[in-house]
Amino acid sequence: MPCSRTRASGPSGNPWPKPKPKPKPKPKPKPEPGGRVELFLRLLRAEGEDELRSGVRGGRLPSARSSTGSASSRRRPDLLPSPRRHPGPDTSLERRMPHTATASYPPGVARHAIAEVARRLGITTDTVRAWRRRAFALQPHRAETFKLSKDPLFIDKVRDVVGLYLDPPERALVLCVDEKSQIQALDRSQPVLPMMPGVPERRSHDYVRAGTTTLFAALDTATGKVIGSLHRRHRALEFKKFLLKLDKEVPADLEVHLILDNYVTHKVPAVKKWLAAHPRFHLHFTPTGSSWLNLVERWFAELTTKKLRRGVHRSVQALERDIRTWLADWNEHHRPFVWTKTADEILGKVAAYCRRISDSGH
C-alpha cells in the first residue's frame, strides 16, 4: 500500500507551523570618545610631542579601537596613557613644524621637501602633508614675487591714484599711460605644429629675433578704449610725440589726468615745458616700484597673453601690423577694467603684510 504523507497539525490546526522569527541584528556600538575623529583633532592641536608620535604610525590615523587602547585598558582608566606636556615652545611639534618648514633651506637644496621636514622632525611624511594642508596652510611648492615700495610719499600717491579710479572728476578724462618697451619680433626656427586631439600645440624652443618695437598706450578708465602709438625707440622725444597725439584725440573741452610711473622720460625738461604750455594736462605719478597701481598694465597683460606670447613674426613690420590690428579690434569691443579696492583697504593690507614679515624672524 502506498504510504500517505500526512503531518500532524499544530495547536491551531495548521499542518505547517510558522518558522521562528529571526533575531534582530544587534546595533553597532557607537565609537567611544577619543576615537578616530577626536584623535585627528588632537593631532592638529598638537597636545604633546609624545602623544603625536604615538598617535600617528606609518603615516595613517589609527582606528577607534586602537586609538583608545584594548578592551581591558578601556575598562581600566589607570592603564590609559596620560599625555605629558613639555615645558617651553621649542620642544612642541606645533611650533616646530611651521618653523622648520619656513626656516632657511638646508645645505644643497633650494626648497623644503616633505621628506626633509619629516626627517628633521622625526615624523612621517603623511603627517607633514596633513599638517601642511589643514593645520598650517603651508605651500612650499609655490613661490611668488613681490616688491615693497620705498617711496616716502607712498600713502599720498596711493590715495591720489585710487581716488581717480573710484571718484573721477567731472568734465575730465582719466588716462592710464605707460610704455611696453622691447617687444620682440620672434620667428621660430621650425614651423609651429598645430593642436590635435590629445596633442597640444608644439613649437621649437629656439627662435630667430628680427628686432624690437615699443608701444605707447593710454587706457581710458571710464570706457576701456586705448590710444596707442608704436615707435622703434623709447626716449623722451617719442613720449612727447605721444602727448601730442593725445592732445589731438581728446576733446578740447575736457581736462586730462594722466596716471604715470616714475620713468625718467616723463620728467625731462622738454616734457615739463610742453606740459606748462598745455595746462589741461595733469600728471599723477604712482609710487616707486608700484606699477600694479596703473590699470594699463592689466591691458598690457591681455595683449601679451592673447597676442604676443604665441605669435610668430618674421619682421618688426609684421609685429607692428598685428599689434595695430589687435588694438583696433579691442577698441571695437572695448570694456573697462573696474577698480574695486579702496585706498584704506590697500594700505591696511600692505601694513599687515609688513607686520607679518617683520615678525617672521627672517
Side-chain angles (χ1 to χ4, degrees):
M1 291 180 64
C3 297
S4 61
R5 297 183 177 181
T6 60
R7 186 170 182 174
S9 60
S12 59
N14 186 3
W16 304 98
K18 294 182 179 180
K20 295 181 179 181
K22 295 182 178 180
K24 295 182 179 181
K26 296 181 180 180
K28 296 182 179 180
K30 296 183 179 180
E32 299 182 8
R36 189 181 183 89
V37 177
E38 179 64 22
L39 176 62
F40 180 70
L41 295 178
R42 287 161 62 188
L43 287 174
L44 294 185
R45 288 194 294 266
E47 294 186 354
E49 183 174 353
D50 291 345
E51 186 177 0
L52 291 174
R53 291 181 184 274
S54 62
V56 180
R57 293 172 182 161
R60 282 190 265 175
L61 293 174
S63 61
R65 182 178 182 85
S66 63
S67 65
T68 56
S70 61
S72 60
S73 65
R74 287 198 302 272
R75 288 191 298 267
R76 297 181 58 184
D78 58 311
L79 296 181
L80 291 176
S82 59
R84 293 175 295 172
R85 296 181 179 270
H86 294 272
D90 295 335
T91 58
S92 173
L93 285 178
E94 182 182 9
R95 295 182 180 272
R96 290 168 55 194
M97 170 62 186
H99 175 73
T100 303
T102 58
S104 58
Y105 300 123
V109 298
R111 56 169 290 184
H112 287 288
I114 293 178
E116 178 65 22
V117 175
R119 185 189 65 81
R120 296 171 67 181
L121 290 176
I123 57 179
T124 62
T125 56
D126 288 344
T127 308
V128 176
R129 290 189 182 95
W131 288 352
R132 188 187 67 184
R133 290 193 303 266
R134 302 169 186 175
F136 304 110
L138 299 176
Q139 300 178 353
H141 61 286
R142 296 183 60 188
E144 298 179 351
T145 59
F146 82 101
K147 184 176 183 180
L148 294 177
S149 176
K150 298 181 180 180
D151 197 323
L153 300 177
F154 176 80
I155 297 178
D156 297 336
K157 290 182 178 180
V158 168
R159 295 190 183 279
D160 181 30
V161 173
V162 175
L164 290 175
Y165 292 150
L166 300 180
D167 189 16
E170 297 182 358
R171 302 296 301 170
L173 192 66
V174 179
L175 299 177
C176 297
V177 177
D178 202 0
E179 305 89 4
K180 186 173 180 61
S181 60
Q182 299 295 316
I183 305 176
Q184 303 182 80
L186 302 179
D187 183 21
R188 300 293 168 179
S189 61
Q190 297 178 4
V192 178
L193 300 180
M195 178 180 60
M196 297 183 294
V199 180
E201 179 184 280
R202 292 176 290 178
R203 63 186 66 234
S204 60
H205 68 277
D206 53 345
Y207 55 85
V208 179
R209 177 175 168 177
T212 61
T213 187
T214 297
L215 172 63
F216 291 80
L219 172 70
D220 185 358
T221 59
T223 63
K225 289 186 175 182
V226 177
I227 302 174
S229 180
L230 289 166
H231 298 275
R232 298 295 176 87
R233 303 187 66 177
H234 183 205
R235 301 172 300 177
L237 179 61
E238 284 74 23
F239 179 67
K240 184 179 177 181
K241 291 180 181 179
F242 184 61
L243 291 178
L244 290 172
K245 183 176 182 179
L246 294 179
D247 190 29
K248 292 179 181 179
E249 297 196 13
V250 176
D253 59 335
L254 294 180
E255 297 287 318
V256 183
H257 294 265
L258 303 181
I259 298 177
L260 303 162
D261 59 14
N262 295 271
Y263 195 63
V264 64
T265 57
H266 304 158
K267 302 178 180 181
V268 297
V271 174
K272 292 181 179 180
K273 184 178 179 180
W274 186 91
L275 292 172
H278 299 77
R280 71 172 183 144
F281 281 79
H282 309 276
L283 269 59
H284 306 263
F285 293 101
T286 60
T288 305
S290 302
S291 59
W292 48 270
L293 270 177
N294 200 332
L295 274 179
V296 75
E297 298 292 344
R298 182 63 186 86
W299 184 83
F300 282 150
E302 289 284 310
L303 172 63
T304 302
T305 304
K306 298 182 178 180
K307 187 61 183 178
L308 300 179
R309 181 166 296 164
R310 296 191 179 185
V312 177
H313 305 94
R314 297 183 176 179
S315 64
V316 178
Q317 292 80 1
L319 172 63
E320 292 178 345
R321 183 167 55 252
D322 280 356
I323 292 177
R324 291 190 181 98
T325 302
W326 195 85
L327 177 59
D329 181 73
W330 174 272
N331 287 331
E332 289 181 4
H333 309 88
H334 58 89
R335 59 185 184 277
F337 297 102
V338 181
W339 190 275
T340 58
K341 291 286 186 179
T342 63
D344 291 336
E345 290 175 338
I346 295 173
L347 296 175
K349 189 173 183 179
V350 172
Y353 186 73
C354 291
R355 286 193 295 268
R356 289 184 62 186
I357 63 176
S358 299
D359 298 336
S360 63
H362 290 276

